[in-house]
Amino acid sequence: MSVLDRIGQKLLFAFDPETAHGMSIAALRCGLPVASPPPPDARLRVGVCGLDFPNPLGMAAGYDKNAEVPDALLGLGFGFAEVGTITPLPQPGNPKPRIFRLTADEAVINRLGFNNEGHGAAEKRLAARKGRGGIVGVNIGANKDSADRIGDYERGVARFAPHASYLTVNISSPNTPGLRNMQAREQLGELLSRVMAARAAASAQPPVFLKIAPDLVEAELEDIAAEVAEKKIDGIIVSNTTLSRAGLRSAGLAGETGGLSGKPLFERSTAVLAKMRKLLGPEMAIIGVGGVDSAETALEKIRAGADLVQLYTGMIYAGPALPGRIVAGMARFADRERLTSLRALRDTASARWASKSLS
């Protein structure tokens, strides 16, 4: 981290995590020069699902929940940004406090519960940026008290298909009761069928990704892979936060309920990623997320089978210059290895990662 990043982090860490998050959004919304992106590098370009990503690093959903600053995020050096999770109706989420920094582990526990301003507010902002370019995905979810959760996803597809570079169906948050049950094969099959039908009926047909949890066993991954292939989903995102607390040093906060993200998630999420690559084959698009905080961890996700990678928690601890540093580090790696494209790296370690036990 630079001296400026350290000062900024110290300032933000003086506030509770949710207040600090709001301050960072406000800074980006105001156009403050928080970091400079590295120059474009053709070796880092990635073609996925008909989209041309300038580099493989993206901002994960959860940061810009209401589509307030996607262009500012792209300006930090990200090759793409994913906004949301967005539900049809506004909802406040779970009671505060609901975000906890585990600084000794460079991790975060959150139990936000899809707090967002709803479809209407996000759609207005996304419609206003039409013509600006840049790849912006929209992560859609269901309201906590919805009587028809699959219907909520259908509404999300219809609402955001005209504005999204891609759509993400998020059924993997641990903070909405019962949501992860939709990963079970029968419910998942119905969900994906209806989502794909909604996309076919929409005014635009962006790629559809499914975001899954890391807390799945081999048989569950096999069921998900079978449904994803059968329903012709365009890609998968591995993974959301974990309920595991294995190996944490921040004992005082480890008992907080919610999903854990950050450095401790890297091993498990990367193993699940590689197993999904093995199950789905070489053509399926996969985005790897979980514990990415450096060029080295981003590149390892690609070795394990990811076409693209995302981060969020890493930037909490490393500052807004992190995406630029990672992209520059990828370019230096390409120099050292004399690569003409990072694509040559994909799957070179997938067998090793796929062999790891999930028990």
Side-chain angles (χ1 to χ4, degrees), residues 86-92 113-114 116 118-119 141-149 152-153 155 176-177 179:
I86 308 169
T87 57
L89 300 176
Q91 61 182 25
F114 286 174
N116 74 107
H119 281 182
N143 282 111
K144 180 179 180 179
D145 58 358
S146 175
D148 180 10
R149 285 184 172 173
D152 282 7
Y153 288 98
R155 286 185 281 277
T176 296
L179 189 74

Side-chain angles (χ1 to χ4, degrees), residues 38-344:
D41 190 322
R43 298 169 301 177
L44 305 187
R45 302 189 79 88
V46 184
V48 176
C49 297
L51 300 171
D52 184 17
F53 293 78
N55 69 65
L57 182 68
M59 171 56 92
Y63 177 75
D64 187 9
K65 290 179 176 293
N66 296 302
E68 296 178 86
V69 291
D71 294 293
L73 289 169
L74 296 175
L76 295 179
F78 286 110
F80 63 108
E82 187 172 316
V83 302
T85 299
I86 308 169
T87 57
L89 300 176
Q91 61 182 25
N94 295 319
K96 299 179 181 179
R98 52 194 183 178
I99 308 177
F100 307 89
R101 298 188 195 101
L102 285 67
T103 54
D105 298 288
E106 294 185 40
V108 166
I109 292 173
N110 93 82
R111 51 173 178 263
L112 288 163
F114 286 174
N115 57 309
N116 74 107
E117 297 172 2
H119 281 182
E123 182 188 27
K124 184 176 180 180
R125 295 183 182 114
L126 290 167
R129 71 172 300 276
K130 186 175 182 179
R132 292 185 193 171
I135 296 177
V136 177
V138 178
N139 185 300
I140 56 174
N143 282 111
K144 180 179 180 179
D145 58 358
S146 175
D148 180 10
R149 285 184 172 173
I150 294 180
D152 282 7
Y153 288 98
E154 291 175 309
R155 286 185 281 277
V157 171
R159 197 83 181 250
F160 293 109
H163 310 296
S165 302
Y166 67 88
L167 294 166
T168 297
V169 175
N170 184 4
I171 55 171
S172 52
S173 170
N175 300 318
T176 296
L179 189 74
R180 285 188 169 187
N181 294 340
M182 298 179 80
Q183 296 175 122
R185 187 161 189 174
E186 185 174 347
Q187 290 191 56
L188 181 62
E190 182 184 357
L191 169 69
L192 297 183
S193 292
R194 288 172 58 177
V195 161
M196 296 306 280
R199 185 185 69 168
S203 59
Q205 285 77 44
V208 172
F209 285 73
L210 175 70
K211 187 166 187 176
I212 66 172
D215 306 315
L216 296 163
V217 297
E218 305 271 0
E220 292 170 320
L221 295 177
E222 291 170 5
D223 285 348
I224 290 170
E227 290 298 330
V228 164
E230 181 182 318
K231 304 304 187 296
K232 300 189 186 319
I233 302 301
D234 298 285
I236 195 160
I237 300 179
V238 186
S239 65
N240 212 314
T241 57
T242 181
L243 294 174
S244 172
R245 299 293 186 264
L248 293 181
R249 291 179 288 172
S250 307
L253 293 172
E256 294 290 347
T257 59
L260 176 76
S261 60
K263 188 168 286 189
L265 184 55
F266 180 78
E267 291 284 327
R268 174 84 184 199
S269 63
T270 307
V272 174
L273 156 67
K275 291 176 187 293
M276 290 305 290
R277 172 58 74 199
K278 182 178 179 181
L279 290 166
L280 291 166
E283 301 304 318
M284 176 65 65
I286 299 181
I287 300 177
V289 55
V292 173
D293 59 2
S294 64
E296 291 72 24
T297 49
L299 291 168
E300 194 61 20
K301 291 280 189 187
I302 296 172
R303 291 187 185 97
D307 298 288
L308 304 163
V309 296
Q310 291 177 321
L311 63 80
Y312 171 8
T313 302
M315 205 163 78
I316 294 173
Y317 288 98
L322 179 62
R325 289 200 299 270
I326 290 176
V327 173
M330 288 178 167
R332 289 193 298 272
F333 176 83
D335 285 338
R336 290 196 306 269
E337 300 299 318
R338 299 182 180 179
L339 299 178
T340 58
S341 171
L342 283 185
R343 175 72 181 192

